[in-house]
Amino acid sequence: MTRTGTTTSAHLRRALRREVPTTVGLLADEHDFTAMRRYRTFVFDDHTVYLQQVEALLKTLAGQGGHTTVTLFDPEEYAAWCTETDLDPDHPTSRGRFTAHLAATGARVTYTGQPLTALLPELVDTAVRHATWEFATTVLATSGPCATCGEDIGHAAFERARRLLARLLEAAGPGTHHLVCSVPAAGDQLLAVLHTHGTTHPEDTAATEFTAVLAAGIALAAPAGLVLRTTTPGSRDRLHGWRLTDGTLTPLTEAEVFAAYCTDARTGEPLSPEPGVDHRAGFPLTPDPDDDHPLHH
């Protein structure tokens, strides 16, 4: 092949490389990094150096013009996956195949040149949201039919949660709204967060995730809670709260909202009130005729 032909081939390969997506599996914390060190073929022995090398790799991939995503690499999940697929976990090819599996099924973040100090928190938050979504949808999908009327409990719970959110935002009025829903489940706490503006029910992914978590609380008949923070220009922020009772939102009193926000959830010790914020009782929601019928379990 002539030199011109070789140059042309190299150029074509570089052009093709830009069309091939890449996923990098990242060991985000020291604990996961230490777990991978038990494998002889894992060559790193220092987490800081490992992160520096990952960041250098990401910059190189970005410089090549391709599409790069980053996903969390979980050593326990990896070991279980290798057992299921009969692969040797102490082999780079197995780690590569697992990362490809995560690219298709797991939570991932697109690398756009952001530093790891920004990428890591975003990646962890995305992974938590992904796990929460998977758990909530599994709860809804496996709730089964009502023993009394035969209605699908998961579907009914999701529709009720969607109507509750719509009525809540309508009653909240104008402003920027920050909602947090907390549902105890499987010995853990499911958390969903939603940012929205005005009274219109959003139709984006975050709204669907929030609705699914609220619906899981309804389907499980769990003692869930929901708080709303509203910000309007020129006014103090307002905090409202509700508890989930029998598939509907029961307003908390002003004292209960204050206690919820001004108590350390881990230690139970009181916290100083946040300045510029009013703690208010949850407001009642307009009754929905479709919610008159209780959900059976």
Side-chain angles (χ1 to χ4, degrees), residues 130-186:
H130 182 78
T132 299
W133 165 254
E134 284 193 331
F135 186 90
T137 53
T138 299
V139 167
L140 299 179
T142 59
S143 294
C146 169
T148 303
C149 65
E151 183 178 22
D152 184 274
I153 293 174
H155 176 74
F158 189 87
E159 288 302 308
R160 177 168 291 192
R162 185 182 59 80
R163 294 193 301 270
L164 280 173
L165 179 57
R167 282 154 46 213
L168 180 64
L169 291 175
E170 182 180 4
T176 299
H177 306 299
H178 176 83
L179 301 96
V180 179
C181 181
S182 174
V183 177

Side-chain angles (χ1 to χ4, degrees), residues 178-218:
H178 176 83
L179 301 96
V180 179
C181 181
S182 174
V183 177
D188 206 345
Q189 201 80 6
L190 296 181
L191 284 175
V193 178
L194 178 63
H195 299 273
T196 187
H197 305 278
T199 61
T200 303
H201 186 295
E203 299 295 340
D204 57 10
T205 300
T208 302
E209 293 173 350
F210 187 92
T211 303
V213 170
L214 179 58
I218 294 172

Side-chain angles (χ1 to χ4, degrees), residues 6-214:
T6 302
T7 302
T8 300
S9 296
H11 175 74
L12 291 175
R13 283 195 298 272
R14 285 196 297 270
L16 185 61
R17 176 66 186 85
R18 289 194 291 270
E19 299 184 22
V20 178
T22 301
T23 299
V24 175
L26 177 62
L27 297 162
D29 60 41
E30 190 78 41
H31 178 269
D32 287 345
F33 177 83
T34 301
M36 289 302 294
R37 291 191 60 196
R38 69 178 180 267
Y39 299 120
R40 178 185 55 81
T41 57
F42 185 76
V43 299
F44 292 94
D45 57 12
D46 184 277
H47 190 228
T48 300
V49 172
Y50 163 80
L51 292 178
Q52 291 170 346
Q53 292 300 315
V54 168
E55 186 162 28
L57 172 63
L58 291 173
K59 290 179 179 178
T60 299
L61 292 170
Q64 295 172 352
H67 178 73
T68 303
T69 57
V70 184
T71 185
L72 282 182
F73 195 104
D74 185 319
E76 291 186 8
E77 185 181 350
Y78 170 63
W81 184 81
C82 285
T83 299
E84 292 173 4
T85 55
D86 197 27
L87 291 174
D88 178 9
D90 197 359
H91 199 285
T93 301
S94 300
R95 293 194 287 274
R97 292 181 62 177
F98 178 66
T99 301
H101 164 74
L102 292 177
T105 62
R108 54 202 178 277
V109 170
T110 300
Y111 178 71
T112 58
Q114 66 270 49
L116 278 188
T117 51
L119 179 65
L120 283 174
E122 181 184 1
L123 183 58
V124 171
D125 179 67
T126 300
V128 170
R129 285 178 53 195
H130 182 78
T132 299
W133 165 254
E134 284 193 331
F135 186 90
T137 53
T138 299
V139 167
L140 299 179
T142 59
S143 294
C146 169
T148 303
C149 65
E151 183 178 22
D152 184 274
I153 293 174
H155 176 74
F158 189 87
E159 288 302 308
R160 177 168 291 192
R162 185 182 59 80
R163 294 193 301 270
L164 280 173
L165 179 57
R167 282 154 46 213
L168 180 64
L169 291 175
E170 182 180 4
T176 299
H177 306 299
H178 176 83
L179 301 96
V180 179
C181 181
S182 174
V183 177
D188 206 345
Q189 201 80 6
L190 296 181
L191 284 175
V193 178
L194 178 63
H195 299 273
T196 187
H197 305 278
T199 61
T200 303
H201 186 295
E203 299 295 340
D204 57 10
T205 300
T208 302
E209 293 173 350
F210 187 92
T211 303
V213 170
L214 179 58

Side-chain angles (χ1 to χ4, degrees), residues 4 13 129 161 173 219 233 247 249 277 294 296:
T4 301
R13 283 195 298 272
R129 285 178 53 195
L249 293 173
V277 175
H296 304 285

